[in-house]
Amino acid sequence: MEESKTRFEGVESILGDPKKAIWKLSIPLIISLFITSLYSVIDAVWVSSLGADALAGVGFVSPIFIALMGIGNGLGAGATSAISKYIGEGDKKKSDNGAVHAIVITVIVSIFTTLLFLIFLRDILLSMGASNTIDYAMDYGVILVSGSILVILSNSLYGVLRGEGDGNRTMYAMLFASILNMILDPIFIYYLGLGVKGAAIATLISLLFVNLLLFYWFYIKKDTYLRPFLSNYRFDKDITVDILKVGFPASLELVNNALFAALFSLLLTVVASTDAVAVYSTGWRVVTIATTPMLAVGTALISVVAANYGARRYEDILLAHRYSMKIAVLFGFIAAIVVYVFAPQIVSIFAYTGTSMRLSSQLIAFLSVIVIYFPTMGYGVTSTFLFQGTGNGITAMFQTILRETVFTLGFAIILAVVLGYGEYGAWWGIILGELVVNTITMFWADWHVKRLIRSNN
């Protein structure tokens, strides 16, 4: 009886009160995404004592790691959107089949991605401006890319769990992986003397174990609502399209973010130096942690919106969207205040020894400026994810490309190069780009839901 209650608890949540559902999914997501973002921070903390060049080398690989995470998160978003919609429609058989489809698609994409990155890794890093730190970047990158399937599959499976409204297990898995990574990092980097290679190995080992844990829940314990067994698999073109029409654009969104990070790093090497790249890549890890609550609320919104979309309860979608924006904006203000006030203490974690100490003042300046855009992310990310929940992945992707590649990078080039403000101008480019496109996206999402309501009436 207890097992049955646990299996159906998430499903009942996403089909119940939208406000309660958002909180129920957001809280474990905030914890789990916060812990996940610690992956790269932990690596940076340990690697920083190897020197600024090692830190910069790992920083150049960060966009690639972001891309791998993005592909997994994108496919996970596609799985969440499709599965939650089928649950909202009351089709259990199709939900199970959708879960298997998500896993099969993920494995195929992972194999292709690994081969692609292994072939072109060096050229990608050099094109980003990593020539001075290429040895460090390759040492870290080759190992990380070789285990791409571990990165992509875990994030996709998280999406399957979120599709049935289960945020708790996702949190447990991420906690387990991050704690293991914390333990393994110093062992492989220093005790075994592997340097930056050790950081990459520690990350992959932790991800291997988290994938095993996820498979244990699905295939051995068998206490999830979804049954992603091969016996439940029947190839269905419509299911494949439902997953990919959100998953593929969502992956491209996050890959685009990685592309932006790469181009932004290149811009910084042109207007400043590799030290500026180290400042940006390290500071952005702090930004990632600080903004996880907004991202968590947006991610939770996908499940709630998709389930209500499948049930054709569009008024509840409008309610969920507006409520999620209020929560996310509040989190944005809190995060901005905390990072601004405690910037010196935060920076001391990364620049506590060796040549990394020379980056302290720049890191503090970066964090003090970049917090300005945090509240705008609150209403921007929830609005973008609403489109994923209604199956409009292409629209969400367009909004992300507009924000990152067009406006943000465009403003950064104008301020840093044309007007000659250097790396400080580049930072302000991020703020202006986020402000403009997040505001556009908010009004766009509200109009989209109101149109659904009118069409239903």
Side-chain angles (χ1 to χ4, degrees), residues 67-312:
L68 295 176
M69 294 278 287
I71 292 169
N73 284 329
L75 293 174
T80 299
S81 178
I83 292 168
S84 293
K85 184 180 77 170
Y86 303 150
I87 290 173
E89 293 170 350
D91 196 333
K92 175 66 165 64
K93 184 177 179 181
K94 198 171 184 180
S95 302
D96 289 337
N97 199 12
V100 189
H101 273 71
I103 294 171
V104 171
I105 292 169
T106 300
V107 171
I108 294 171
V109 170
S110 297
I111 294 171
F112 175 77
T113 302
T114 302
L115 293 174
L116 190 66
F117 273 123
L118 282 176
I119 293 171
F120 296 106
L121 179 62
R122 189 178 187 88
D123 292 333
I124 293 171
L125 292 170
L126 289 173
S127 67
M128 289 164 54
S131 55
N132 294 335
T133 57
I134 189 63
D135 291 336
Y136 285 115
M138 286 296 292
D139 285 346
Y140 186 76
V142 168
I143 295 172
L144 199 65
V145 167
S146 298
S148 295
I149 190 169
L150 300 175
V151 183
I152 298 171
L153 183 60
S154 60
N155 284 281
S156 180
L157 290 174
Y158 296 151
V160 173
L161 286 173
R162 285 195 293 268
E164 64 174 64
D166 191 343
N168 288 330
R169 262 191 258 241
T170 302
M171 177 183 67
Y172 300 146
M174 290 181 174
L175 277 169
F176 172 71
S178 296
I179 292 171
L180 184 59
N181 195 39
M182 291 179 198
I183 296 170
L184 295 179
D185 255 344
I187 294 174
F188 280 88
I189 294 172
Y190 298 109
Y191 183 75
L192 298 178
L194 296 176
V196 294
K197 292 180 181 178
I201 293 171
T203 298
L204 291 185
I205 290 176
S206 63
L207 286 170
L208 171 63
F209 278 96
V210 80
N211 277 288
L212 292 175
L213 178 62
L214 291 165
F215 274 91
Y216 167 75
W217 284 327
F218 281 123
Y219 300 110
I220 298 177
K221 196 174 182 183
K222 299 178 182 178
D223 62 344
T224 55
Y225 172 76
L226 294 168
R227 302 298 200 198
F229 307 145
L230 284 176
S231 58
N232 291 328
Y233 178 72
R234 299 290 183 276
F235 175 76
D236 189 314
K237 185 181 73 173
D238 292 336
I239 292 176
T240 304
V241 170
D242 278 344
I243 293 172
L244 289 181
K245 75 180 182 181
V246 172
F248 183 67
S251 295
L252 288 182
E253 275 182 58
L254 295 161
V255 170
N256 176 77
N257 292 347
L259 175 63
F260 166 78
L263 293 174
F264 198 79
S265 296
L266 179 60
L267 173 65
L268 290 174
T269 60
V270 172
V271 300
S273 65
T274 54
D275 276 5
V277 176
V279 168
Y280 164 67
S281 62
T282 304
W284 203 255
R285 290 181 174 99
V286 178
V287 171
T288 301
I289 293 176
T291 56
T292 49
M294 290 92 86
L295 185 62
V297 173
T299 305
L301 185 65
I302 297 176
S303 301
V304 178
V305 167
N308 283 286
Y309 185 72
R312 300 181 68 83

